[in-house]
Amino acid sequence: MPVSSEEEFEHTLIVPWIEFKDQSAWDDVLQFGHRIEWRQKTVVHRPEDDVTGIIFILSGMVKVAAASRDGLQRTLWLMGPGSVIGEAAMFAHRPYMHFFTTMEPTVAYTFSRQILSQNILPHFPKVGEALLSNLAAKCYIMSTQVEESVFLTVPQRVARFLYGLCLARNSLHLPLSHGTIADLLGIHRVSVSNTISLMKRIGLLDDTSHGVTVNDINALAAFLSKSDAASFHP
DNA sequence: GCATTAATTCTGT
DNA sequence: ACAGAATTAATGC
C-alpha cells in the first residue's frame, strides 16, 4: 500500500491535545472510581488543592494550565476523552501544581491512589499500559513544544497545530478561539489572529467566525513544508 | 417558549 | 489598547 508523504506526517506530528479513541481498557475498572460531572468552564483543580489520585476523563474536555503568582497562565495541553490527569503527580509523590478547567461539559471518574495500586493495577494490566501511554503523550508534548518554539516560526507552529489536530480529531472544524490556541502554543493572541487571517486569505481556512475550519487539508499539509510559513509578512 | 437586553467573549486593527 | 461583532446569560413577557 502506497504511503503518501502527508500520511507520514500523521505519525510524527504531536499536538498538545491528549485523547484516546480506544477506552476499552477502562471499561472494567470504572466501577472502582467515583463518577463526577462538571459543567462548562469550571475550575476543577487549583495548585493548592491536594492530589488524592487520578482523574479519568470519559467525555468532554479539560484544559491543564500552569500559572504564575500574578495570575498569568500558560496552557500545557488539552485533555479529551480517554485521557488521564494526575498520574504523573501521583507516581512522583508530588503535588499537582496546575489549574484544571473544563472547556466543555465533562464526565470523569476519579480513582484514589490506594484503589489504583491495590485493586486496579495488579489485576488490570491494560490500565497500567493506558497510564503509560498517557504519561508518554505528555512527555512528547512537552519536548515537542520546546523544540518547535525554538526552531519554528509562529505560522509554522500554528499550521502544524491545526493540521495535527485535524488528523487527531478526524475533523476539519476545530472549536478553539485564537486566544485558546495562543495560550496553548505560548504565542501572542494577536500573532495567532494575524496568522489565521493570512491563512484565510490564502484559502487554507474557511472564513468562519468562532472556531477554525480548515478548507483544504492538503494545501495545509503542503504549507507546512513550504517556505511560505517560514517567511510571513503581515 | 420567545423576544429583549445586559454581559461577556472573540476578533481585527 | 481599543472598537465592533458575535455569543451567551439573564430577564421579562
Side-chain angles (χ1 to χ4, degrees):
Chain A
M1 175 177 125
V3 178
S4 71
S5 60
E6 285 91 47
E7 281 177 77
E8 278 182 45
F9 264 123
E10 181 174 349
H11 304 292
T12 58
L13 274 192
I14 291 171
V15 289
W17 176 293
I18 304 176
E19 183 174 317
F20 294 97
K21 287 166 202 154
D22 181 14
Q23 305 181 19
S24 58
W26 295 87
D27 291 344
D28 297 330
V29 301
L30 289 184
Q31 46 168 324
F32 294 109
H34 284 94
R35 182 188 173 94
I36 304 183
E37 294 183 18
W38 289 305
R39 284 174 297 174
Q40 194 171 205
K41 294 179 191 168
T42 312
V43 178
V44 175
H45 176 93
R46 297 169 190 282
E48 58 268 28
D49 295 342
D50 288 333
V51 176
T52 58
I54 62 169
I55 303 172
F56 169 76
I57 298 173
L58 188 71
S59 66
M61 170 156 63
V62 176
K63 180 180 81 175
V64 177
S68 68
R69 189 68 58 84
D70 40 324
L72 291 177
Q73 289 207 5
R74 164 67 201 270
T75 305
L76 299 178
W77 46 65
L78 300 175
M79 313 206 66
S83 61
V84 177
I85 305 175
E87 88 284 4
M90 201 197 79
F91 285 123
H93 293 278
R94 291 183 150 273
Y96 210 138
M97 300 303 292
H98 299 144
F99 281 97
F100 308 155
T101 312
T102 57
M103 310 279 286
E104 298 171 359
T106 299
V107 179
Y109 282 79
T110 61
F111 301 89
S112 71
R113 185 195 304 260
Q114 191 183 21
I115 292 283
L116 193 66
S117 61
Q118 292 181 3
N119 299 28
I120 298 181
L121 288 181
H123 308 297
F124 300 92
K126 289 284 184 192
V127 173
E129 199 177 317
L131 286 179
L132 286 178
S133 298
N134 197 77
L135 195 54
K138 293 177 183 176
C139 291
Y140 271 100
I141 286 171
M142 293 318 293
S143 61
T144 303
Q145 281 303 122
V146 172
E147 289 170 29
E148 294 189 353
S149 67
V150 170
F151 296 127
L152 302 183
T153 66
V154 166
Q156 285 174 319
R157 290 163 65 191
V158 173
R160 288 176 72 91
F161 174 73
L162 296 178
Y163 181 68
L165 205 47
C166 277
L167 294 182
R169 305 204 78 200
N170 198 27
S171 162
L172 291 180
H173 183 259
L174 309 172
L176 300 170
S177 70
H178 299 177
T180 303
I181 296 172
D183 285 345
L184 204 45
L185 299 182
I187 50 196
H188 284 292
R189 199 273 302 165
V190 172
S191 304
V192 174
S193 290
N194 289 337
T195 303
I196 285 179
S197 52
L198 169 81
M199 291 172 143
K200 285 178 180 172
R201 283 202 297 276
I202 301 179
L204 299 181
L205 306 180
D206 274 344
D207 194 6
T208 53
S209 70
H210 239 260
V212 178
T213 305
V214 175
N215 179 44
D216 188 341
I217 186 76
N218 293 321
L220 182 59
F223 183 80
L224 292 181
S225 46
K226 287 210 296 196
S227 55
D228 296 11
S231 56
F232 163 54
H233 301 295

